[in-house]
Amino acid sequence: MRDLRIVLFALVWFSCAWFGSWELNPNNATRMFAAISLVEDGDATIDEFAPLTIDKASFDGHAYLDKAPGMTLMALPAVWIADAATGMRATRFGNAPAGPEFERYLRLRTRIAAAIGPALLTALAAVLLFDLAAGLTGSVAAGLFAALGYALGTPVWGWSTTLLGHAVVADCYAIAFWAIWRGSRPGAQGAGAAALAGAALGWAVVVEHQAVLAAVPVAGWALWRLRDRPDRLRLAGVAIAAGVVALLPLALYNFVAFGTPFRVGYSGVVGWEGMHQGLFGLGWPRLYAMRAVLLSFQLGLIWVAPVLLLAPLGLWYWLRRPPLRPVALAATLSALIVLLVNAAYVYWDGGNTTGPRFLIPAVAPLALGLAAEWMRAGGRGERIAMSLLLALSIAINAMIAAAEIFAPPLVTFPIWQWVRPAFLRGGLRTVPNEWFGWTPWAGFGVWAVLALPMLGWLVWRVRRAQP
């Protein structure tokens, strides 16, 4: 099945890298501003860019990134590559950068950063989810259903075109699940897989600090899988060591930025007073917030990823099967913790967002539920219905990724009232129309001409391998 994995990787990476998001969205821009300063100036201050973003922190009279630095650190190679290729630096635009040329400068670095960061990780996570789901169910069709549902049937796709960390955290969880399963199988050496699992969970915390909470059930599943192995302490030590190594860039960034590894950007947030409540904005979960991010027209996950309606059914099916109960329990708890953290956050609605962006890390464990539900489905008709639901989800998220992942917060039903009109009038961001002067629809057409045959081939290949 190596050819299937290669085509799946290519399809997902191409689909994520082909589309883009608005580079001056504050969440995108502030991360890129910090990356530019680190590469071009050797410091982490963003003073010259501060007027361009509402998302910033202030310490000792200087402006800084107010986020966890993981996505900024992942963007450093993109800034270096673009600077080397174009010979252009931010100093060219003076102390108050603005205008079309500066936007093009920022857009190039943002697009490269998304292509070599979130897009690559999401493609890798899709392939590993395919491998994991196929291994757990004994069905390559279940594996493909889970992988496509995860990467293209949810807003993981759209968020992989941005520098926000939601998709990357989901990717890290998926990678960790796969590594734990792979490394704990009978006869496996396990050290490399343990290191990968620890590094993935550690890096998730660098990208979004609260990711440590939903990582706990994943780590617990790892300990359960290792409970009878004589080398369990060694493998646990390897995983912990790899996690610590993955956390070192966080400490190094904090030291470079603030002179100490023990200060974080969230502690100096400007303009968002709620961040100073509780633990950097985290309080107690609220039921109305949980209901809103799951079901409401404005934010509900079911409207942007209807295929995920199947995930709880699949996880419940696995919870009733003793051999699969531990992984199902880990996936369920991990997804539930993401939901509770979202509902506990003071800014739980996420501002400008198409769908519940803070809930996206839960998609990785929920993807296992998709594989489980495919495994449970008994008849051809039921699986055809599930496939049609996946096709609908892919169509919705193609529209979101191409048109608008940052829908404004006052729209009652963003998918219908904002994203759909933007898509139909050609308000798309694709590589050809942003860089080569093509029409937006021509750019989307190229994606469709290349991506849809790959998608069709994957379905044909799986049916051929396992009728």
Side-chain angles (χ1 to χ4, degrees):
M1 306 299 286
R2 182 178 181 182
D3 55 346
L4 196 153
R5 292 179 175 89
I6 291 172
V7 174
L8 176 60
F9 182 94
L11 170 63
V12 174
W13 179 82
F14 169 61
S15 297
C16 294
W18 193 250
F19 302 109
S21 60
W22 185 39
E23 60 278 355
L24 281 174
N25 174 274
N27 269 293
N28 262 335
T30 195
R31 290 172 166 91
M32 184 54 68
F33 294 155
I36 291 168
S37 293
L38 285 166
V39 172
E40 296 184 357
D41 302 329
D43 64 47
T45 62
I46 59 169
D47 295 340
E48 65 272 36
F49 304 113
L52 300 178
T53 178
I54 59 174
D55 289 349
K56 54 201 167 194
S58 180
F59 297 99
D60 304 321
H62 293 287
Y64 292 88
L65 172 72
D66 66 338
K67 319 288 184 187
M71 298 307 298
T72 286
L73 298 175
M74 290 177 67
L76 297 180
V79 176
W80 184 87
I81 290 168
D83 284 6
T86 64
M88 188 179 295
R89 298 167 65 90
T91 52
R92 172 174 179 168
F93 304 101
N95 291 328
E101 190 176 5
F102 172 72
E103 291 178 18
R104 186 176 177 86
Y105 161 92
L106 189 64
R107 186 182 310 127
L108 176 62
R109 286 147 184 80
T110 303
R111 297 297 182 272
I112 295 174
I116 66 175
L120 269 179
L121 274 181
T122 296
L124 174 62
V127 172
L128 297 186
L129 273 172
F130 165 78
D131 197 41
L132 170 60
L136 290 173
T137 62
S139 165
V140 292
L144 184 63
F145 187 74
L148 291 177
Y150 170 79
L152 300 182
T154 73
V156 165
W157 182 357
W159 293 115
S160 297
T161 71
T162 76
L163 298 188
L164 280 72
H166 313 309
V168 169
V169 172
D171 296 337
C172 287
Y173 289 160
I175 292 168
F177 268 109
W178 175 86
I180 293 165
W181 167 75
R182 185 81 173 185
S184 59
R185 294 188 305 175
Q189 293 298 315
L196 179 59
L201 295 180
W203 188 252
V205 177
V206 180
V207 173
E208 291 185 356
H209 299 329
Q210 73 274 16
V212 67
L213 300 174
V216 171
V218 184
W221 181 54
L223 294 175
W224 172 262
R225 294 273 295 184
L226 296 175
R227 68 193 185 283
D228 295 327
R229 289 186 57 138
D231 59 348
R232 58 187 178 276
L233 293 180
R234 179 179 68 87
L235 293 178
V238 169
I240 292 170
V244 170
V245 170
L247 288 170
L248 289 179
L250 170 61
L252 180 60
Y253 169 84
N254 288 338
F255 185 81
V256 170
F258 311 123
T260 171
F262 304 112
R263 174 183 284 178
V264 296
Y266 288 122
S267 63
V269 169
V270 174
W272 301 94
E273 295 306 316
M275 292 297 293
H276 301 292
Q277 302 174 15
L279 180 62
F280 300 125
L282 288 179
W284 290 101
R286 289 150 291 188
L287 184 60
Y288 70 86
M290 287 188 275
R291 184 172 58 248
V293 297
L294 291 174
L295 304 173
S296 72
F297 285 124
Q298 185 176 16
L299 288 171
L301 186 63
I302 65 167
W303 301 109
V304 293
V307 72
L308 290 181
L309 286 168
L310 303 173
L313 302 176
L315 290 174
W316 175 245
Y317 172 65
W318 272 5
L319 284 168
R320 292 183 288 117
R321 295 174 63 88
L324 294 165
R325 186 174 297 147
V327 65
L329 183 60
T332 302
L333 290 176
S334 184
L336 182 59
I337 289 171
V338 174
L339 174 63
L340 291 172
V341 170
N342 187 168
Y345 185 41
V346 64
Y347 300 115
W348 59 270
D349 59 349
N352 287 62
T353 177
T354 305
R357 65 186 179 93
F358 296 127
L359 203 55
I360 294 305
V363 174
L366 289 175
L368 295 178
L370 298 181
E373 183 61 8
W374 187 274
M375 177 183 178
R376 184 209 60 79
R380 175 184 172 87
E382 191 172 359
R383 286 180 174 170
I384 289 175
M386 292 169 64
S387 299
L388 291 175
L389 189 60
L390 174 59
L392 172 63
S393 295
I394 292 174
I396 290 171
N397 284 283
M399 188 168 61
I400 293 171
E404 187 59 88
I405 197 67
F406 293 116
L410 298 180
V411 180
T412 305
F413 194 9
I415 283 292
W416 188 255
Q417 296 173 325
W418 191 269
V419 177
R420 182 187 62 90
F423 182 82
L424 293 177
R425 69 171 178 266
L428 316 177
R429 294 185 178 92
T430 71
V431 170
N433 75 270
E434 286 194 325
W435 299 105
F436 307 127
W438 293 24
T439 66
W441 281 115
F444 187 84
V446 171
W447 171 80
V449 166
L450 295 175
L452 294 182
M454 284 193 279
L455 182 59
W457 183 89
L458 287 169
V459 174
W460 171 83
R461 181 70 175 86
V462 164
R463 291 189 66 185
R464 182 185 175 194
Q466 183 174 300

